[in-house]
């Protein structure tokens, strides 16, 4: 597992080994490009000097010489990103399978941006999205729920030139019922699909869940179909959306599998160990799986949609714990002749018990499930939602509550669309005018109709509709 140690970093020498490796690779590509283009000698010399400096920094950080195609080993990553040598247990752990922190406010996302080497979604980017789309930015953007990106400006440049791009997101179907946290990327992806009017592919990684969980293949595939119904209920356009199960599509699409093999050839065992923490005791299916999650990033993996076009940009909205897969993908892409996928990263949806962990589908009391009744939603929030209020009404009235740790307020930032109302709640709770019970009541009244509406929409999803979404076919869009 990639364990991210949250420390302040200044300069290239303080970057993680994997970040230095990626920067070195990019700088090497730049030097070769300048030489091929016969650039000015001074420009080439400057690029070479930077390359040499990065190699020194890399050697200092890893104890290894930089070699093309040989990312840092697991040991070198552990020394930089692993558990603190001094036994400090205050680190944030962020990887595709586990998210935890000792901070009641949750993961420190500003430091995570530094560690992962992504870019913050600032007001300038939000304003540009509004200008390009002509639509008010989604409240997930306005409130920093989607907070980090890779190459989003490049995607907007492409769109302004009247060239299409496509969306790719996914779901690991580990249970029959999804919880509200699972909805976040799909709610935002639907908004992106609507405002940009572009195609979407949704990967259901039932193969991954079989490899990682104590489940049968049949169970994983059935969960994929059930989860597809919840995804369809979000309102996606069937004429612009293809949902696929890995267990079905990988064997049915030669081009998809060919891309998987290309990726596999260009990723070493050392690299996947360094990125994902695999050990010699892990099954070979786990080691090869990252290439399967990477393949949908490339347009020619879907010949029924894009034909043989391999230059269509991909944008991936996902939670930031999935970023390791796509850092690997972005490293491989130029070496196999494909554009790097762009990404939009979301924060984690916290468990009811607090922001130290994200919701878990395996713990019924940590989550509000999409199958929960209005009574269950009410009981779970009242009983389990961590409070930022004081111990007594008198203390709360005097000192106010802490919205930074209060789970009910956190949930409202996700699901209450009215910015003015949300700010009024923040002020009232912070001042003590609003009590914890009253805040929980507001969350209950916000979530109950949202879940009820989703349940009603899901009832309308027939097996025939699922089959239509999951059948490889042309989609309706303009390149």
């Amino acid at each position: 597992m990639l364990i991210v140690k949250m420390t302040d970093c200044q300069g290239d020498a303080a970057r993680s080994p994997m970040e230095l490796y990626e920067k070195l690779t990019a700088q090497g590509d730049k030097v070769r490009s300048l030489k091929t283009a016969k650039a000015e000698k001074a420009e080439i010399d400057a690029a070479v000097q930077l390359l040499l400096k990065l190699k020194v920094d890399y050697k200092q950080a890893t104890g290894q010489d930089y070699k093309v195609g040989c990312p840092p080993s697991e040991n070198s990553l552990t020394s930089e990103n692993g558990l603190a040598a001094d036994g400090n247990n205050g680190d944030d752990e962020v990887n595709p399978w586990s998210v935890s922190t000792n901070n009641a406010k949750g993961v420190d996302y500003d430091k995570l941006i530094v560690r992962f080497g992504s870019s913050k979604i600032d007001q300038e980017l939000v304003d540009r999205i509004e200008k390009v789309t002509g639509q008010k930015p989604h409240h997930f953007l306005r409130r920093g729920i989607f907070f980090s990106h890779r190459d989003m400006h490049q995607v907007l440049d492409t769109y302004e030139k009247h060239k299409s791009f496509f969306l790719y997101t996914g779901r690991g179907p580990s249970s029959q019922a999804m919880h509200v946290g699972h909805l976040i990327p799909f709610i935002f992806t639907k908004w992106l699909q609507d405002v940009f009017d572009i195609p979407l592919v949704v990967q259901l990684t039932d193969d991954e869940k079989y490899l990682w969980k104590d489940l049968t293949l049949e169970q994983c595939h059935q969960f994929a179909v059930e989860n597809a119904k919840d995804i369809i209920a979000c309102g996606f356009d069937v004429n612009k959306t293809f949902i696929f199960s890995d267990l079905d599509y990988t064997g049915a699409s030669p081009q998809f599998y060919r891309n998987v093999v290309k990726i596999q050839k260009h990723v070493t065992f050392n690299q996947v160990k360094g990125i994902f923490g695999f050990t010699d005791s892990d099954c070979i299916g786990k080691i090869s799986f990252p290439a399967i999650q990477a393949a949908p990033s490339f347009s020619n993996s879907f010949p029924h949609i894009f034909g043989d076009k391999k230059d269509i940009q991909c944008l991936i909205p996902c939670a930031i714990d999935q970023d390791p897969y796509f850092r690997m993908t972005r490293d491989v892409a130029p070496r196999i002749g494909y554009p790097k996928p762009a990404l939009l990263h979301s924060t984690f949806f916290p468990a009811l018990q607090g922001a130290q962990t994200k919701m878990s589908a395996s713990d019924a009391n940590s989550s509000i499930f999409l199958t929960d009744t209005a009574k269950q939603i009410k009981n779970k929030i009242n009983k389990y939602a961590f409070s930022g209020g004081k111990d007594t009404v008198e203390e709360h009235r005097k000192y106010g509550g802490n919205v930074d740790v209060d789970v009910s307020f956190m949930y409202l930032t996700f699901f209450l669309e009215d910015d003015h109302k949300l700010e009024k709640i923040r002020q009232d709770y912070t001042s003590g005018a609003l009590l914890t019970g009253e805040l929980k009541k507001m969350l209950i009244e916000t979530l109950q109709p949202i879940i009820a509406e989703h349940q009603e929409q899901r009832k309308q999803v027939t097996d025939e509709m699922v089959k239509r979404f999951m059948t490889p076919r042309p989609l309706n869009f303009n390149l």
Side-chain angles (χ1 to χ4, degrees):
M1 295 182 294
L2 176 66
I3 301 174
V4 182
K5 180 182 176 185
M6 296 303 175
T7 55
D8 291 318
C9 301
Q10 295 179 348
D12 286 327
R15 288 176 180 267
S16 71
M18 185 56 68
E19 289 176 62
L20 279 171
Y21 173 80
E22 292 176 347
K23 191 168 184 180
L24 257 168
T25 301
Q27 187 65 20
D29 290 342
K30 181 178 179 179
V31 170
R32 286 188 290 274
S33 297
L34 289 172
K35 289 180 177 179
T36 301
K38 297 181 179 179
E40 294 291 333
K41 183 177 183 301
E43 188 177 3
I44 295 175
D45 288 346
V48 170
Q49 288 301 313
L50 178 56
L51 182 65
L52 293 174
K53 179 184 180 299
L54 288 170
K55 286 184 177 180
V56 172
D57 291 341
Y58 183 83
K59 181 70 176 283
Q60 290 176 343
T62 66
Q64 304 171 5
D65 290 324
Y66 169 76
K67 294 181 181 179
V68 177
C70 295
S73 68
E74 181 181 11
N75 290 337
S76 66
L77 277 168
T78 302
S79 66
E80 176 69 20
N81 293 336
L83 293 173
D86 61 3
N88 176 13
N89 293 319
D91 301 330
D92 288 353
E93 181 180 331
V94 177
N95 63 67
W97 306 282
S98 176
V99 175
S100 64
T101 176
N102 288 333
N103 190 335
K105 296 180 181 179
V107 170
D108 188 326
Y109 292 106
D110 287 333
K111 289 186 177 180
L112 194 57
I113 286 173
V114 174
R115 301 305 301 155
F116 278 9
S118 58
S119 300
K120 187 177 181 65
I121 295 179
D122 54 19
Q123 190 58 47
E124 179 185 354
L125 179 56
V126 175
D127 291 343
R128 188 178 177 203
I129 291 172
E130 180 173 16
K131 180 180 178 182
V132 170
T133 63
Q135 301 287 332
K136 182 180 180 180
H138 196 279
H139 68 274
F140 287 177
L141 282 173
R142 303 196 304 270
R143 297 175 189 168
I145 290 170
F146 274 81
F147 71 101
S148 166
H149 75 99
R150 297 185 188 276
D151 291 344
M152 187 60 192
H153 282 293
Q154 180 181 317
V155 170
L156 296 175
D157 290 342
T158 299
Y159 188 75
E160 285 183 321
K161 294 174 183 175
H162 305 291
K163 294 181 181 179
S164 186
F165 63 95
F166 74 100
L167 295 166
Y168 156 39
T169 194
R171 160 80 182 126
S174 59
S175 61
Q176 185 157 329
M178 290 167 56
H179 59 59
V180 288
H182 294 140
L183 282 183
I184 303 307
F186 294 108
I187 291 170
F188 189 61
T189 299
K190 182 185 182 302
W191 181 81
L192 290 169
Q193 183 184 61
D194 290 345
V195 298
F196 286 104
D197 192 23
I198 48 175
L200 162 68
V201 295
V202 179
Q203 181 183 44
L204 300 173
T205 56
D206 39 12
D207 52 345
E208 175 204 15
K209 294 308 173 186
Y210 174 69
L211 294 168
W212 263 268
K213 301 282 187 178
D214 186 20
L215 298 167
T216 66
L217 272 175
E218 291 72 24
Q219 284 176 312
C220 293
H221 188 265
Q222 181 57 34
F223 290 161
V225 173
E226 292 302 313
N227 286 186
K229 293 178 181 178
D230 277 315
I231 294 168
I232 293 167
C234 291
F236 289 105
D237 184 346
V238 69
N239 296 310
K240 293 183 173 64
T241 306
F242 173 51
I243 302 174
F244 66 98
S245 145
D246 281 346
L247 290 175
D248 289 338
Y249 187 65
T250 305
S253 174
Q255 189 55 53
F256 185 91
Y257 182 65
R258 288 179 183 181
N259 277 340
V260 170
V261 173
K262 286 181 184 179
I263 298 161
Q264 289 172 338
K265 183 172 182 177
H266 288 82
V267 180
T268 67
F269 182 42
N270 265 350
Q271 188 172 7
V272 292
K273 284 199 299 181
I275 296 172
F276 301 103
F278 296 141
T279 68
D280 292 344
S281 61
D282 280 309
C283 71
I284 60 174
K286 290 184 179 180
I287 296 158
S288 62
F289 172 75
I292 298 174
Q293 183 155 327
S297 305
F298 308 129
S299 55
N300 66 347
S301 291
F302 306 100
H304 57 281
I305 302 173
F306 303 108
D308 60 359
K309 293 181 181 295
K310 61 180 185 179
D311 60 346
I312 301 175
Q313 180 83 39
C314 174
L315 175 62
I316 305 170
C318 62
I320 198 167
D321 59 339
Q322 298 300 302
D323 188 69
Y325 284 109
F326 301 113
R327 288 205 302 277
M328 181 200 78
T329 308
R330 285 167 57 84
D331 179 63
V332 170
R335 288 186 275 149
I336 58 178
Y338 297 149
K340 294 181 179 182
L343 288 101
L344 290 169
H345 300 124
S346 74
T347 58
F348 303 117
F349 197 86
L352 283 168
Q353 288 79 3
Q356 286 90 342
T357 61
K358 64 178 183 178
M359 274 190 171
S360 170
S362 60
D363 182 356
N365 293 326
S366 76
S367 313
I368 302 294
F369 283 88
L370 300 180
T371 52
D372 284 347
T373 63
K375 183 177 180 180
Q376 286 174 318
I377 293 169
K378 178 180 179 179
N379 289 342
K380 283 184 178 182
I381 292 171
N382 282 331
K383 186 174 182 179
Y384 297 110
F386 185 81
S387 168
K390 298 299 184 285
D391 292 337
T392 67
V393 172
E394 291 75 17
E395 285 183 348
H396 187 89
R397 293 292 191 200
K398 184 176 181 180
Y399 299 109
N402 185 354
V403 295
D404 291 334
V405 302
D406 192 286
V407 166
S408 294
F409 185 80
M410 291 179 189
Y411 281 23
L412 285 172
T413 65
F414 282 87
F415 289 107
L416 183 62
E417 293 192 23
D418 189 321
D419 290 337
H420 297 294
K421 187 173 181 180
L422 183 68
E423 180 57 28
K424 180 70 163 56
I425 293 171
R426 177 196 297 275
Q427 293 174 3
D428 288 350
Y429 194 63
T430 302
S431 70
L434 184 69
L435 298 176
T436 294
E438 294 168 330
L439 178 58
K440 288 187 174 185
K441 184 173 184 290
M442 289 178 174
L443 174 61
I444 292 165
E445 292 174 348
T446 299
L447 268 184
Q448 283 177 336
I450 291 174
I451 302 302
E453 181 181 358
H454 183 88
Q455 291 171 353
E456 188 58 36
Q457 292 298 321
R458 195 184 190 280
K459 290 178 184 177
Q460 310 304 316
V461 179
T462 64
D463 290 341
E464 183 58 36
M465 287 176 65
V466 174
K467 183 178 179 181
R468 188 177 172 198
F469 270 94
M470 298 186 71
T471 298
R473 65 203 186 283
L475 298 182
N476 181 21
F477 69 99
N478 295 317
L479 286 175

